[in-house]
Amino acid sequence: MQARNRTLALLLIVSFVAAGCGSATPTVTPIPATATGVALAPTNTLPSPTSTPAPPTDTPMPPTATHTPVPPTPTVPTPTPTVPPPAECSGALAGCVQAYMESLDAQSIFSGAVLLAQDGEPIFKGAYGLADRALGIANQVDTKFNLGSMDKMFTGVAILQLVQNGQLSLDAKVGDLLPDYPNEQVALTVTVHQLLIHTAGLGDWSESPRFPDLHDQIRGVDDYLPLFVDTPLEFDPGARFRYSNSGYIVLGLIIEQVTGQSYYDYVRENVFEPCGMANTAAYELDAGLPDLALGYTRMDIDGSELDEITDYQFAMPMRGGPSGGGFSTVEDLLRFRNGLLDHRLLSPESTDLLLAGKVRLGEGAQYAYGFIDRIQEGQRVVGHSGGAPGVCNFLDIYLDSGYTLIILSNSDGDCLLALQAIEEALAP
């Protein structure tokens, strides 16, 4: 149990806006070129969506580098719910989850929305707490929540689509694809593969001292560049893992260059629309849309506790992008799961390549191409988390049992208690 809780905390921390950790000897899946010039890993070495991948290598994780502070794990509420957790319920799973979530809601422990599905069909969904505390607007199942780092899944899919179509190669250098990229060190040495799995050596745009002054001016992908483009690489590309939001901004620029479209238009037309995701986009925080949940936090951008709860706009870019900060609903994320596993977005072999873990994160967890690939109670689970001030999210796709769990919360750490209890119920 303690090991599982540590893994869950790691998965949320790894997508926090200032997260980072290193491994001196990461496990990186090779990407040999095919006869067509499109770099794809051999399909016979990849786990299929219904099989269990090879266990992660037993490489110990060194202490976090002192120059990359990891904010503390969001505080998990500790009050004892008034009903047993789902694992102890004797009735149907959906009813047990509903009872448990209602108990959290009655104690004001959870604010957000939850959806549990089996084989792509919802068996439970519910919403709790307030989307706007000042106006008293309640969260609904179709409320749009800030995704945090979950947008990386969409970016990973978009890159693999371009690879599958022969428009770029995973081993291409940044400079091959962005001839005018202003950082020569990055342009000459960093590959698409390294950007996708956070081994490129780029840091995090949110750590820039310029971010507090520029965050409300970010309206497009290239608006992020002043926050990091002149920063030297922290290590030689491929040397180790360092979670990098900046790397995913570069991936977004590559998508724009290769397709001739804005990142936002490309993912809307090629990821969201094929899945029927009408309520997913990178909305601007000041657009005044009525169905967006405001995030509420007790943390500043460095993870330090604030004197009072406040909304999160001070800590977020005005518009999200390839690294995170878009909005979606629990129902749209289930549509994304269905479109992905039904191969409406990628071929079966490209989907396998997308989801297969490539560099070790921690006990039983590896990072893939915009997805986290882990073993949970003997089951293979893929998806991504989203953590930031006022953001606490999980998408867990159980490839073996067919369950999908989606939790979106607009408060600090609210998703963790619900996640732990429901995952106990899903254990075989």
Side-chain angles (χ1 to χ4, degrees):
M1 177 66 71
Q2 290 180 346
R4 182 176 70 88
N5 290 345
R6 285 196 301 271
T7 299
L8 296 178
L10 168 66
L11 297 178
L12 186 62
I13 286 175
V14 80
S15 61
F16 199 98
V17 291
C21 62
S23 175
T25 55
T27 303
V28 180
T29 300
I31 48 168
T34 66
T36 61
V38 181
L40 292 174
T43 56
N44 61 357
T45 65
L46 295 172
S48 70
T50 58
S51 65
T52 300
T57 58
D58 193 22
T59 303
M61 296 292 285
T64 303
T66 56
H67 67 280
T68 311
V70 176
T73 306
T75 301
V76 179
T78 56
T80 302
T82 56
V83 300
E88 300 177 14
C89 290
S90 58
L93 176 62
C96 292
V97 172
Q98 179 178 357
Y100 185 72
M101 293 308 304
E102 288 176 354
S103 77
L104 298 185
D105 182 48
Q107 299 169 79
S108 300
I109 292 176
F110 179 81
S111 177
V114 175
L115 186 149
L116 179 63
Q118 187 168 24
D119 298 326
E121 294 295 330
I123 60 174
F124 169 78
K125 52 187 174 181
Y128 312 90
L130 296 176
D132 188 318
R133 299 187 182 194
L135 299 179
I137 299 174
N139 284 319
Q140 306 291 336
V141 171
D142 60 355
T143 296
K144 301 179 180 70
F145 292 85
N146 193 302
L147 294 176
S149 284
M150 297 174 83
D151 289 271
K152 291 181 175 69
M153 295 184 292
F154 310 145
T155 302
V157 168
I159 290 290
L160 263 291
Q161 287 176 339
L162 300 178
V163 170
Q164 179 177 284
N165 295 338
Q167 294 175 265
L168 61 83
S169 170
L170 289 167
D171 57 4
K173 299 283 199 303
V174 169
D176 298 334
L177 302 167
L178 300 173
D180 298 324
Y181 193 77
N183 188 318
E184 184 176 6
Q185 182 189 27
V186 173
L188 294 177
T189 63
V190 171
T191 68
V192 173
H193 171 73
Q194 292 162 346
L195 292 171
L196 283 166
I197 64 171
H198 305 285
T199 62
L202 276 75
D204 199 308
W205 52 256
S206 69
E207 296 173 1
S208 169
R210 302 185 64 189
F211 179 66
D213 295 327
L214 297 180
H215 77 99
D216 60 349
Q217 300 176 35
I218 295 174
R219 309 281 173 167
V221 179
D222 56 357
D223 291 333
Y224 287 87
L225 277 176
L227 300 176
F228 70 90
V229 71
D230 295 327
T231 304
L233 292 175
E234 296 182 4
F235 50 84
D236 291 337
R240 62 184 179 89
F241 178 92
R242 198 280 203 213
Y243 192 80
S244 174
N245 283 316
S246 299
Y248 269 70
I249 295 299
V250 178
L251 289 170
L253 293 172
I254 289 171
I255 292 168
E256 293 187 333
Q257 178 71 23
V258 171
T259 65
Q261 294 181 274
S262 74
Y263 169 83
Y264 307 103
D265 287 343
Y266 181 86
V267 295
R268 184 186 71 250
E269 295 175 11
N270 296 278
V271 180
F272 304 153
E273 289 181 359
C275 296
M277 299 166 65
N279 293 312
T280 303
Y283 306 107
E284 297 180 357
L285 296 182
D286 59 356
L289 295 176
D291 52 354
L292 299 187
L294 283 176
Y296 293 92
T297 181
R298 288 188 179 274
M299 293 185 291
D300 65 18
I301 192 62
D302 296 318
S304 301
E305 188 170 353
L306 298 169
D307 292 335
E308 59 184 16
I309 295 176
T310 184
D311 72 65
Y312 65 0
Q313 292 201 37
F314 75 94
M316 305 296 282
M318 191 55 64
R319 189 181 192 187
S323 65
F327 285 79
S328 189
T329 67
V330 291
E331 294 173 316
D332 261 13
L333 289 177
L334 179 61
R335 295 182 182 105
F336 173 66
R337 175 266 184 209
N338 291 344
L340 181 66
L341 297 190
D342 290 345
H343 304 300
R344 280 177 268 153
L345 301 177
L346 292 164
S347 69
E349 63 182 18
S350 292
T351 303
D352 287 345
L353 177 60
L354 176 84
L355 300 178
K358 295 164 182 67
V359 58
R360 184 178 184 270
L361 293 177
E363 185 176 351
Q366 303 176 78
Y367 206 90
Y369 286 155
F371 284 73
I372 295 169
D373 180 7
R374 76 183 200 270
I375 300 300
Q376 177 78 26
E377 302 292 346
Q379 299 186 68
R380 187 181 176 206
V381 184
V382 298
H384 210 288
S385 55
V391 176
C392 184
N393 306 323
F394 277 90
L395 168 61
D396 283 353
I397 303 170
Y398 287 70
L399 295 176
D400 299 319
S401 67
Y403 284 113
T404 300
L405 175 61
I406 303 164
I407 303 176
L408 301 179
S409 173
N410 61 326
S411 186
D412 297 334
D414 276 10
C415 63
L416 289 174
L417 187 60
L419 177 81
Q420 292 170 7
I422 297 173
E423 287 199 330
E424 287 181 15
L426 299 180

